[in-house]
Amino acid sequence: MKKVIVAIDGPAAAGKSTVAKAVAKKLGYTYIDTGAMYRAFTSYVLDKGVDPENEAECVKLIPEVSIELKPDGKVICSGKDVTRVIREPLVSGNVSYIASYKDIRLALVELQRKMAEKVSVVMDGRDIGTYVLPNADVKIFQIASVEERAKRRYIENQEKGIPCTYEDIVADVEKRDRIDSSRAFAPLKPAEDSIKLDTSNLTIEESVQAVLDIIKEKVGE
Ligand code: CDP
């Protein structure tokens, strides 16, 4: 079987992980949530009492941080299960600072590339098609309106029991998009050869099908 790389990038809470996970399951590929890795690093920084806006102090932690994405979706950071805490507002509100530090990105990107070396993957993030895996077979840039994205994340948080208001989510999504798009190194932007997928008016099932159709057309899977 041919090794296939699918890159799904896009702004915060665009539904990338839901779609990427379902597509990976359907095709028997490995799903890699790169956002969870930046979130895990952020939870480690917060645990250590380091200021997430202090780049030099955050970068010093790189040698102590190990991140594992388990096949069952669990995220382990330096031996601790952080699966739940990385979705909380404190981590969401600080992750874009951590993700703007070049040395931290280089360390995590090295891991991400290793994960995609031997198996077919669906990897989602911000810079997968532009920087992490520029030779990906399929590149999708998944978007949706801010209102729709905030609504989806609000419902998701409610289901997971993570306390938040709709207004907080709108502010978080807008803040992260601003920082993620304007950072100097590997910012959020569509790869020139990416296919734009606006899911504002699509259900999850329709979004998954749209991605499967694109993959089929590109690689015949
Ligand atoms: O799920 P959601 O869209 O809210 O975000 P995520 O994919 O979990 O990513 C969390 C944050 O990590 C983003 O806002 C970015 O700051 C950062 N990130 C990144 O810089 N590069 C990636 N490849 C993935 C995430």
Side-chain angles (χ1 to χ4, degrees):
M1 203 170 78
K2 183 181 179 304
K3 188 168 103 58
V4 177
I5 304 280
V6 180
I8 305 184
D9 291 301
K16 300 179 299 291
S17 61
T18 308
V19 169
K21 213 181 291 171
V23 167
K25 192 168 174 205
K26 181 99 186 166
L27 298 176
Y29 296 178
T30 300
Y31 165 57
I32 301 169
D33 177 357
T34 62
M37 300 168 78
Y38 291 96
R39 287 173 178 272
F41 201 110
T42 305
S43 74
Y44 190 86
V45 167
L46 293 168
D47 257 7
K48 288 279 156 182
V50 170
D51 175 3
E53 293 189 59
N54 184 330
E55 178 169 0
E57 289 301 311
C58 291
V59 164
K60 269 192 210 157
L61 298 176
I62 294 173
E64 318 176 9
V65 178
S66 68
I67 297 169
E68 277 176 275
L69 303 182
K70 298 284 191 193
D72 64 359
K74 283 214 164 62
V75 182
I76 310 295
C77 182
S78 303
K80 188 175 161 193
D81 184 344
V82 295
T83 315
R84 192 189 150 82
V85 78
I86 60 170
R87 304 294 162 195
E88 290 186 354
L90 185 61
V91 170
S92 292
N94 286 293
V95 62
S96 290
Y97 300 121
I98 301 302
S100 70
Y101 305 147
K102 184 174 178 181
D103 290 338
I104 293 178
R105 295 199 74 79
L106 290 177
L108 297 189
V109 166
E110 194 184 322
L111 270 178
Q112 291 156 13
R113 287 182 178 152
K114 272 205 189 103
M115 290 166 142
E117 239 168 35
K118 297 202 170 73
V119 290
S120 292
V121 299
V122 182
M123 190 179 282
D124 83 339
R126 302 292 184 286
D127 59 341
I128 311 307
T130 52
Y131 182 75
V132 181
L133 302 169
N135 296 322
D137 302 280
V138 182
K139 297 182 187 180
I140 291 167
F141 198 78
Q142 185 171 331
I143 56 169
S145 66
V146 173
E147 295 72 26
E148 183 57 32
R149 291 190 277 135
K151 196 175 98 195
R152 288 176 189 171
R153 182 52 50 89
Y154 179 71
I155 294 169
E156 190 182 338
N157 282 0
Q158 297 258 297
E159 284 167 1
K160 287 184 179 159
I162 297 170
C164 63
T165 65
Y166 174 78
E167 289 71 28
D168 288 343
I169 301 284
V170 171
D172 175 66
V173 158
E174 286 180 336
K175 173 183 162 187
R176 285 198 287 132
D177 285 354
R178 194 173 57 246
I179 302 177
D180 293 347
S181 312
S182 62
R183 69 181 174 229
F185 185 68
L188 165 67
K189 65 165 189 234
E192 272 173 23
D193 50 351
S194 64
I195 294 166
K196 318 283 176 297
L197 178 66
D198 187 339
T199 64
S200 302
N201 298 310
L202 299 184
T203 63
I204 292 173
E205 291 71 25
E206 288 168 341
S207 308
V208 170
Q209 195 52 53
V211 171
L212 288 169
D213 290 346
I214 294 169
I215 296 172
K216 189 162 191 154
E217 201 187 308
K218 287 259 172 193
V219 294
E221 280 274 315

